[in-house]
Amino acid sequence: MTRHDERFVRYLESKEAVDDRALHRPTLSTLVDELSDRAEARPGEPLRVVSVGAGTGAMCRRLLSWGVFDAYDDIKYIMIDRRKGMSDQASAAFAEWSHGAGWEASPTVDGFQIERHGRRVALTYVTGDLFDATVEIPQAIDLVVAHAVLDVLPLQRALDALITRLTDGGLFYAPITFDGRTAFRPAHNADSEVLDAFHETMGGDNASGPETGSNLLSALPQSDASIVSAGGSGWVVTPPYDDGERFFISRILQFVEESVGAHGGVGEATLRGWLDTRHKQLEAGGLSYVAHNLDILAKLD
Ligand SMILES: C[S@@+](CC[C@H](N)C(=O)[O-])C[C@H]1O[C@@H](n2cnc3c(N)ncnc32)[C@H](O)[C@@H]1O
């Protein structure tokens, strides 16, 4: 794994606690209710889940830990991510987590299986682009999870690829979908210039752009999936922070530096001055960060 990948994995690890706090609980509760109704209506059938842009599988571990899949004893969970090396990171994270949580893990041909108190979860990791990988998946999926990823994908193409894999009444869960606002405090006179440019870098032909969360509210119904629950899941990180939160904000500043720097819309001196101030404030424990996200749960009509 390159140094860049290591930093990305560390970013995902630091993001877990921020996501834990942010996730919209009413939408999660609705997901639990929907899955429980589904299990009751289809006795004996396993729960089949596909998670795209799965990273190290944090959302799978979280949903299992939080009891979201408790209506099912047999779960088949496929994770897809195009980033090489991520499957090894996911395996290591699952091995550590399953051991701590009392699951017994055993390797399978394409992943591994964990078992506890008669419940089985078959975990498969696919390294590849979701547009290629989903074609291979039968149209028999109960739940698609798209966690913190839709804003970096072409939205309609992604919805077409994913929704067509769902069975009747299948569910589409898109937690932590970025929705257009980034703020740092205390205010800085270059905030608008830098952060508007940051949001502009999120657009283009191959990404859904900064308002993906809101756009999903109309794109999903247009794709025959009705919204059953939605709500805000903003990231809010304020001092005093622990090491993970400090790293998380430093990584967000790095994203701003890389994307705005490459985009060229902001003068070098302005960007440098803004970044220097923000890093100093972070070091001094005086910088707050807010990003607006939405969690959306939809159901195939
Ligand atoms: C911001 S990360 C989120 C990871 C994980 N869902 C989490 O929140 O912990 C987005 C992930 O999507 C993956 N990704 C982006 N475009 C993809 C594509 N077209 N196919 C598969 N994975 C993709 C990236 O490699 C990255 O790991």
Side-chain angles (χ1 to χ4, degrees):
M1 209 173 42
T2 63
R3 234 180 94 71
H4 189 260
D5 290 337
E6 273 170 28
R7 279 183 70 76
F8 185 68
V9 169
R10 211 178 142 204
Y11 161 69
L12 292 183
E13 283 166 1
S14 69
K15 187 169 96 60
E16 280 189 45
V18 182
D19 282 355
D20 282 347
R21 283 203 302 265
L23 285 161
H24 188 245
R25 297 311 197 266
T27 297
L28 259 182
S29 300
T30 307
L31 176 60
V32 173
D33 294 345
E34 288 286 342
L35 290 177
S36 151
D37 290 350
R38 202 167 167 82
E40 217 175 288
R42 299 164 182 239
E45 286 189 22
L47 174 68
R48 293 189 174 85
V49 188
V50 169
S51 173
V52 292
T56 64
M59 187 51 90
C60 177
R61 292 188 293 281
R62 177 183 289 115
L63 295 176
L64 285 166
S65 297
W66 289 4
V68 174
F69 297 148
D70 277 4
Y72 288 88
D73 284 336
D74 187 6
I75 299 162
K76 299 187 187 316
Y77 201 110
I78 301 172
M79 289 169 270
I80 303 171
D81 200 294
R82 69 178 175 191
R83 208 177 176 111
K84 291 202 175 60
M86 206 51 74
S87 67
D88 291 342
Q89 295 300 317
S91 298
F94 272 100
E96 192 183 335
W97 168 85
S98 56
H99 184 69
W103 293 85
E104 249 177 59
S106 48
T108 56
V109 186
D110 47 11
F112 55 101
Q113 177 161 296
I114 55 172
E115 286 192 68
R116 188 178 68 171
H117 310 314
R119 299 183 68 217
R120 271 182 321 278
V121 187
L123 296 153
T124 308
Y125 205 101
V126 178
T127 299
D129 193 283
L130 75 91
F131 295 106
D132 302 325
T134 47
V135 174
E136 308 289 323
I137 293 172
Q139 189 191 346
I141 299 303
D142 301 291
L143 170 66
V144 166
V145 177
H147 169 212
V149 67
L150 289 174
D151 59 314
V152 299
L153 299 171
L155 190 59
Q156 196 53 52
R157 194 172 161 223
L159 293 185
D160 290 344
L162 298 171
I163 285 176
T164 49
R165 299 300 94 199
L166 289 172
T167 54
D168 292 349
L171 297 161
F172 186 95
Y173 180 48
I176 315 287
T177 305
F178 184 65
D179 196 41
R181 181 170 148 80
T182 306
F184 290 92
R185 290 292 183 274
H188 184 286
N189 60 12
D191 277 344
S192 304
E193 195 178 343
V194 172
L195 297 175
D196 287 353
F198 179 49
H199 293 156
E200 267 172 42
T201 66
M202 296 177 184
D205 291 343
N206 287 317
S208 301
E211 292 186 12
T212 306
S214 294
N215 289 340
L216 270 179
L217 297 174
S218 55
L220 280 162
Q222 279 161 18
S223 297
D224 300 324
S226 301
I227 309 294
V228 287
S229 183
S233 52
W235 284 336
V236 183
V237 185
T238 53
Y241 6 78
D242 60 25
D243 289 349
E245 290 172 320
R246 192 185 300 274
F247 181 80
F248 178 78
I249 300 185
S250 77
R251 185 65 196 163
I252 300 289
L253 292 175
Q254 199 183 346
F255 288 143
V256 174
E257 179 172 1
E258 286 165 2
S259 55
V260 176
H263 188 246
V266 175
E268 211 179 308
T270 304
L271 180 60
R272 196 68 267 150
W274 185 88
L275 285 164
D276 286 348
T277 304
R278 289 330 194 177
H279 280 294
K280 278 187 196 134
Q281 289 167 332
L282 180 64
E283 277 316 303
L287 181 64
S288 294
Y289 164 65
V290 177
H292 188 54
N293 306 305
L294 292 187
D295 287 4
I296 295 168
L297 178 65
K299 188 175 179 177
L300 199 61
D301 296 336

